[in-house]
């Protein structure tokens, strides 16, 4: 009986999480969240794995740069107009572009109108600069 109850509970959790999940799609550089154009992604050919997040008018908002540091791979995120100061860092993996766009969208940092500066600063403080601190120690 407990196995049936646990199975039912697990099925309900899965169904509820899938039904409320946002659909983020990246196709030909255009990013849509729940079928609404949100932003664009522009590849930066200067650095491998680097790209810009642009608004719908192709103004560069954020610059994301992949860093390969030994066994660590992480992403540094900068404001596109200030590449001297890292806002925050995050680990990378398969599907990291969709993942970071979804995080920024859910935190109300990114919208079709552009970037909310206050939310971006708050989001950056939450993520921090863990990898840079580790790298600077060595």
């Amino acid at each position: 009986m407990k196995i049936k109850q646990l199975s039912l509970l697990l099925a309900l959790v899965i169904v509820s999480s899938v039904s409320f999940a946002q659909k983020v799609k990246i196709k030909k550089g255009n990013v849509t969240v729940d079928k609404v154009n949100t932003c664009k992604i522009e590849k930066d050919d200067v650095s491998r794995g680097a790209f810009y997040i642009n608004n719908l008018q192709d103004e560069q908002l954020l610059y994301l740069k992949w860093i390969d540091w030994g066994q660590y791979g992480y992403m540094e995120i900068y404001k596109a107009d200030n590449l001297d100061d890292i806002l925050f860092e995050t680990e990378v993996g398969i599907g990291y572009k969709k993942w970071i766009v979804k995080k920024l969208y859910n935190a109300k940092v990114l919208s079709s109108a552009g970037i909310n500066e206050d939310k971006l600063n708050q989001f950056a403080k939450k993520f921090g600069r863990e990898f840079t601190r580790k790298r600077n120690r060595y």
Side-chain angles (χ1 to χ4, degrees), residues 16-23 34 102:
S16 66
S17 66
V18 169
S19 64
F20 292 110
Q22 293 170 326
K23 305 285 189 228
D34 293 333
K102 192 172 184 176

Side-chain angles (χ1 to χ4, degrees), residues 3-52:
I3 293 174
K4 286 182 181 180
Q5 289 175 340
L6 186 60
S7 298
L8 181 61
L9 179 63
L10 183 62
L12 287 173
V13 168
I14 290 172
V15 167
S16 66
S17 66
V18 169
S19 64
F20 292 110
Q22 293 170 326
K23 305 285 189 228
V24 177
K25 292 188 179 185
I26 301 174
K27 190 171 188 176
K28 295 183 181 178
N30 293 312
V31 178
T32 58
V33 179
D34 293 333
K35 297 182 182 179
V36 175
N37 279 347
T38 304
C39 60
K40 296 181 179 183
I41 289 183
E42 174 189 351
K43 183 180 175 185
D44 182 17
D45 294 326
V46 173
S47 182
R48 188 183 97 200
F51 62 95
Y52 287 96

Side-chain angles (χ1 to χ4, degrees), residues 73-137:
Y74 65 97
M75 185 70 64
E76 294 178 342
I77 293 84
Y78 302 84
K79 283 188 65 178
D81 59 353
N82 182 11
L83 299 179
D84 292 327
D85 187 29
I86 301 169
L87 292 172
F88 61 94
E89 301 165 336
T90 184
E91 293 182 53
V92 295
I94 297 172
Y96 66 91
K97 288 180 185 177
K98 284 183 183 182
W99 182 83
I100 194 67
V101 167
K102 192 172 184 176
K103 285 284 189 189
L104 292 169
Y105 185 81
N106 287 340
K108 298 183 179 15
V109 172
L110 185 64
S111 69
S112 56
I115 295 273
N116 181 327
E117 295 288 333
D118 294 333
K119 297 282 185 183
L120 177 62
N121 292 331
Q122 187 179 33
F123 188 77
K125 288 177 185 176
K126 289 179 182 179
F127 264 80
R129 295 176 187 85
E130 171 188 354
F131 297 101
T132 300
R133 284 193 292 270
K134 285 181 185 177
R135 192 177 65 217
N136 289 339
R137 277 188 276 169

Side-chain angles (χ1 to χ4, degrees), residues 54-67:
N54 300 342
N55 64 12
L56 296 175
Q57 292 76 33
D58 284 326
E59 297 168 343
Q60 297 173 336
L61 303 173
L62 296 175
Y63 181 70
L64 291 84
K65 181 178 169 185
W66 182 64
I67 304 295

